[in-house]
Amino acid sequence: MLQEVLHPSIDFSIETVFILIILVGLEAVLSADNAIALASIAQGLQTEKEQKYALNVGLVFAYILRITLIITATWVIKFWQFSVAGGLYLLWLTFRYYTNSKSEEGEENHSSLNLKGLWQAIPMIAVTDLAFSLDSVTTAIAVADEIWLIIAGGTIGVIALRFLAGLFIRWIEEYTHLEDAGFITVGLVGARLILKVAMPDFVPPEWVMIITILAIFTWGFSAKNTEETSTTNS
Protein backbone atom coordinates (compact mmCIF):
# COMPACT_ATOMS: atom_id res chain seq x y z
CA MET A 1 0.00 0.00 0.00
CA LEU A 2 2.84 2.41 0.85
CA GLN A 3 4.53 1.59 -2.46
CA GLU A 4 1.35 2.67 -4.29
CA VAL A 5 1.43 6.01 -2.48
CA LEU A 6 5.08 6.69 -3.35
CA HIS A 7 4.65 5.55 -6.97
CA PRO A 8 0.99 6.04 -7.87
CA SER A 9 -0.35 4.85 -11.21
CA ILE A 10 -3.01 7.39 -12.12
CA ASP A 11 -5.45 6.47 -14.88
CA PHE A 12 -8.25 8.94 -15.64
CA SER A 13 -10.54 6.56 -17.51
CA ILE A 14 -14.35 6.76 -17.46
CA GLU A 15 -14.35 3.85 -15.01
CA THR A 16 -11.97 5.77 -12.72
CA VAL A 17 -14.24 8.83 -12.69
CA PHE A 18 -17.25 6.59 -12.01
CA ILE A 19 -15.50 4.88 -9.06
CA LEU A 20 -14.47 8.29 -7.66
CA ILE A 21 -18.10 9.45 -7.83
CA ILE A 22 -19.18 6.28 -5.99
CA LEU A 23 -16.53 6.84 -3.29
CA VAL A 24 -17.60 10.46 -2.78
CA GLY A 25 -21.27 9.39 -2.69
CA LEU A 26 -20.54 6.73 -0.09
CA GLU A 27 -18.59 9.28 1.97
CA ALA A 28 -21.53 11.71 1.80
CA VAL A 29 -24.13 9.13 2.91
CA LEU A 30 -21.98 7.44 5.54
CA SER A 31 -20.71 10.78 6.91
CA ALA A 32 -24.12 12.10 8.01
CA ASP A 33 -23.95 10.43 11.43
CA ASN A 34 -20.26 11.38 11.68
CA ALA A 35 -21.15 15.02 10.97
CA ILE A 36 -23.88 14.95 13.64
CA ALA A 37 -21.40 13.66 16.22
CA LEU A 38 -18.80 16.30 15.28
CA ALA A 39 -21.46 19.04 15.31
CA SER A 40 -22.63 17.94 18.76
CA ILE A 41 -19.04 18.02 20.07
CA ALA A 42 -18.44 21.51 18.66
CA GLN A 43 -21.85 22.77 19.79
CA GLY A 44 -20.83 22.38 23.43
CA LEU A 45 -18.31 25.21 23.02
CA GLN A 46 -19.25 28.71 24.11
CA THR A 47 -18.92 30.78 20.92
CA GLU A 48 -19.33 30.31 17.18
CA LYS A 49 -15.66 31.25 16.75
CA GLU A 50 -14.59 28.41 19.07
CA GLN A 51 -16.93 25.98 17.28
CA LYS A 52 -15.39 26.81 13.88
CA TYR A 53 -11.86 26.65 15.29
CA ALA A 54 -12.49 23.25 16.88
CA LEU A 55 -13.95 21.85 13.64
CA ASN A 56 -11.14 23.26 11.47
CA VAL A 57 -8.25 22.13 13.67
CA GLY A 58 -9.91 18.87 14.70
CA LEU A 59 -10.55 17.88 11.08
CA VAL A 60 -6.95 18.70 10.09
CA PHE A 61 -5.81 16.13 12.64
CA ALA A 62 -8.65 13.85 11.54
CA TYR A 63 -7.44 14.06 7.93
CA ILE A 64 -3.88 13.12 8.95
CA LEU A 65 -5.22 10.14 10.91
CA ARG A 66 -7.52 9.12 8.05
CA ILE A 67 -4.71 9.18 5.45
CA THR A 68 -2.51 7.19 7.85
CA LEU A 69 -5.33 4.67 8.21
CA ILE A 70 -5.74 4.38 4.42
CA ILE A 71 -2.00 3.83 3.90
CA THR A 72 -1.81 1.21 6.66
CA ALA A 73 -5.25 -0.31 5.96
CA THR A 74 -3.96 -3.68 4.75
CA TRP A 75 -2.11 -4.00 8.06
CA VAL A 76 -4.85 -2.54 10.28
CA ILE A 77 -7.61 -4.87 9.02
CA LYS A 78 -5.58 -7.86 10.20
CA PHE A 79 -6.11 -6.79 13.81
CA TRP A 80 -9.69 -7.10 15.06
CA GLN A 81 -8.79 -5.05 18.13
CA PHE A 82 -8.93 -1.82 16.09
CA SER A 83 -12.54 -2.47 15.02
CA VAL A 84 -13.58 -3.40 18.56
CA ALA A 85 -11.89 -0.29 20.00
CA GLY A 86 -13.57 1.93 17.39
CA GLY A 87 -16.95 0.30 17.98
CA LEU A 88 -16.69 0.63 21.76
CA TYR A 89 -15.69 4.28 21.41
CA LEU A 90 -18.76 5.06 19.26
CA LEU A 91 -21.03 3.19 21.68
CA TRP A 92 -19.46 5.14 24.56
CA LEU A 93 -20.09 8.39 22.64
CA THR A 94 -23.74 7.41 22.20
CA PHE A 95 -24.02 6.47 25.89
CA ARG A 96 -22.44 9.78 26.92
CA TYR A 97 -24.87 11.68 24.72
CA TYR A 98 -27.95 10.03 26.21
CA THR A 99 -26.78 10.25 29.82
CA ASN A 100 -25.86 13.96 29.83
CA SER A 101 -28.22 16.88 30.15
CA LYS A 102 -28.05 20.25 28.43
CA SER A 103 -30.15 21.92 31.08
CA GLU A 104 -28.12 23.15 34.02
CA GLU A 105 -31.27 24.35 35.80
CA GLY A 106 -32.91 20.94 35.54
CA GLU A 107 -35.92 22.35 33.67
CA GLU A 108 -35.31 20.33 30.53
CA ASN A 109 -33.76 16.90 30.29
CA HIS A 110 -32.27 17.21 26.80
CA SER A 111 -29.38 14.87 26.11
CA SER A 112 -26.06 16.22 24.87
CA LEU A 113 -22.33 15.51 24.89
CA ASN A 114 -22.06 18.72 26.91
CA LEU A 115 -18.37 19.41 26.23
CA LYS A 116 -17.08 22.83 27.28
CA GLY A 117 -13.32 22.92 26.74
CA LEU A 118 -11.81 23.74 23.34
CA TRP A 119 -8.83 21.42 23.85
CA GLN A 120 -11.16 18.67 24.94
CA ALA A 121 -13.24 19.04 21.78
CA ILE A 122 -10.39 19.07 19.21
CA PRO A 123 -8.89 15.63 19.97
CA MET A 124 -12.40 14.21 20.38
CA ILE A 125 -13.32 15.40 16.87
CA ALA A 126 -10.19 13.75 15.43
CA VAL A 127 -10.72 10.44 17.27
CA THR A 128 -14.43 10.35 16.39
CA ASP A 129 -13.69 10.72 12.68
CA LEU A 130 -11.01 8.02 12.95
CA ALA A 131 -13.51 5.61 14.52
CA PHE A 132 -15.97 6.22 11.68
CA SER A 133 -13.16 5.86 9.13
CA LEU A 134 -12.52 2.27 10.25
CA ASP A 135 -15.79 1.33 8.55
CA SER A 136 -15.74 3.73 5.58
CA VAL A 137 -12.13 2.95 4.59
CA THR A 138 -12.89 -0.78 4.52
CA THR A 139 -15.84 -0.03 2.22
CA ALA A 140 -13.67 2.20 0.01
CA ILE A 141 -11.02 -0.54 -0.36
CA ALA A 142 -13.75 -2.96 -1.48
CA VAL A 143 -14.87 -0.48 -4.17
CA ALA A 144 -11.48 0.75 -5.46
CA ASP A 145 -8.12 -0.96 -5.84
CA GLU A 146 -6.04 2.17 -6.44
CA ILE A 147 -4.78 3.91 -3.32
CA TRP A 148 -4.79 7.39 -4.88
CA LEU A 149 -8.51 7.03 -5.61
CA ILE A 150 -9.25 6.11 -1.99
CA ILE A 151 -7.15 9.07 -0.76
CA ALA A 152 -8.92 11.41 -3.21
CA GLY A 153 -12.31 10.18 -2.04
CA GLY A 154 -11.26 10.54 1.61
CA THR A 155 -9.94 14.06 1.00
CA ILE A 156 -13.18 15.20 -0.62
CA GLY A 157 -15.07 13.44 2.18
CA VAL A 158 -13.24 15.38 4.93
CA ILE A 159 -13.84 18.70 3.15
CA ALA A 160 -17.54 17.85 2.73
CA LEU A 161 -17.67 16.73 6.37
CA ARG A 162 -16.44 20.15 7.54
CA PHE A 163 -19.24 21.98 5.75
CA LEU A 164 -21.81 19.34 6.70
CA ALA A 165 -20.87 19.57 10.39
CA GLY A 166 -21.24 23.36 10.20
CA LEU A 167 -24.73 22.97 8.76
CA PHE A 168 -25.70 20.38 11.36
CA ILE A 169 -24.77 22.77 14.20
CA ARG A 170 -27.58 25.02 12.96
CA TRP A 171 -29.95 22.19 12.01
CA ILE A 172 -29.67 20.60 15.47
CA GLU A 173 -31.21 23.79 16.89
CA GLU A 174 -33.91 23.80 14.23
CA TYR A 175 -35.07 20.16 14.09
CA THR A 176 -36.44 18.43 17.19
CA HIS A 177 -35.27 14.85 16.57
CA LEU A 178 -32.17 15.42 14.44
CA GLU A 179 -29.50 15.07 17.13
CA ASP A 180 -31.21 11.96 18.51
CA ALA A 181 -31.40 10.48 15.00
CA GLY A 182 -27.71 11.15 14.48
CA PHE A 183 -26.66 9.40 17.66
CA ILE A 184 -28.91 6.41 16.99
CA THR A 185 -26.90 5.89 13.80
CA VAL A 186 -23.63 6.51 15.68
CA GLY A 187 -24.60 3.63 17.96
CA LEU A 188 -25.52 1.47 14.95
CA VAL A 189 -22.11 2.06 13.34
CA GLY A 190 -20.39 1.20 16.63
CA ALA A 191 -22.44 -1.99 17.00
CA ARG A 192 -21.71 -2.91 13.37
CA LEU A 193 -17.94 -2.59 13.90
CA ILE A 194 -18.10 -4.97 16.87
CA LEU A 195 -20.49 -7.34 15.07
CA LYS A 196 -18.04 -7.60 12.15
CA VAL A 197 -15.54 -9.07 14.60
CA ALA A 198 -17.82 -11.14 16.83
CA MET A 199 -20.34 -12.49 14.27
CA PRO A 200 -19.29 -11.48 10.73
CA ASP A 201 -22.01 -13.67 9.13
CA PHE A 202 -24.69 -11.52 10.77
CA VAL A 203 -23.34 -8.15 9.55
CA PRO A 204 -25.97 -6.50 7.31
CA PRO A 205 -24.82 -5.52 3.80
CA GLU A 206 -23.80 -1.92 3.10
CA TRP A 207 -27.00 -1.10 1.20
CA VAL A 208 -29.11 -2.10 4.23
CA MET A 209 -27.00 0.23 6.41
CA ILE A 210 -27.42 3.11 3.93
CA ILE A 211 -31.22 2.66 3.71
CA THR A 212 -31.43 2.46 7.52
CA ILE A 213 -29.41 5.66 7.94
CA LEU A 214 -31.58 7.47 5.38
CA ALA A 215 -34.77 6.30 7.14
CA ILE A 216 -33.52 7.43 10.57
CA PHE A 217 -32.49 10.84 9.22
CA THR A 218 -35.87 11.21 7.50
CA TRP A 219 -37.37 10.93 10.99
CA GLY A 220 -34.71 13.32 12.30
CA PHE A 221 -35.83 16.03 9.87
CA SER A 222 -39.55 15.31 10.39
CA ALA A 223 -40.29 17.93 13.05
CA LYS A 224 -39.09 21.48 13.67
CA ASN A 225 -38.63 23.14 17.03
CA THR A 226 -41.06 25.86 17.97
CA GLU A 227 -39.70 29.39 18.40
CA GLU A 228 -40.06 29.10 22.17
CA THR A 229 -38.06 25.87 22.29
CA SER A 230 -35.33 27.27 20.02
CA THR A 231 -35.05 30.39 22.18
CA THR A 232 -34.83 28.30 25.36
CA ASN A 233 -32.08 26.05 23.93
CA SER A 234 -30.05 29.04 22.75
Side-chain angles (χ1 to χ4, degrees), residues 217-234:
F217 272 91
T218 299
W219 168 71
F221 282 104
S222 65
K224 284 191 173 185
N225 291 322
T226 62
E227 281 190 24
E228 290 182 8
T229 305
S230 300
T231 305
T232 303
N233 289 340
S234 29

Side-chain angles (χ1 to χ4, degrees), residues 28 32 51 59 85 92 107 127 134 155 158 168 186 198 202 219:
Q51 291 171 2
L59 283 173
W92 170 80
E107 296 175 359
V127 173
L134 287 168
T155 302
V158 168
F168 271 122
V186 169
F202 291 93
W219 168 71

Side-chain angles (χ1 to χ4, degrees), residues 111-130:
S111 45
S112 171
L113 290 177
N114 209 20
L115 296 178
K116 302 299 182 183
L118 183 63
W119 296 107
Q120 183 184 13
I122 289 173
M124 202 167 186
I125 285 172
V127 173
T128 299
D129 181 72
L130 179 64

Side-chain angles (χ1 to χ4, degrees), residues 178-227:
L178 184 57
E179 198 169 12
D180 288 329
F183 276 92
I184 289 171
T185 60
V186 169
L188 285 177
V189 173
R192 187 173 187 271
L193 281 169
I194 294 173
L195 194 63
K196 284 171 76 173
V197 173
M199 293 181 287
D201 293 338
F202 291 93
V203 176
E206 203 66 51
W207 64 268
V208 171
M209 194 70 179
I210 291 173
I211 291 174
T212 303
I213 289 173
L214 290 174
I216 293 171
F217 272 91
T218 299
W219 168 71
F221 282 104
S222 65
K224 284 191 173 185
N225 291 322
T226 62
E227 281 190 24

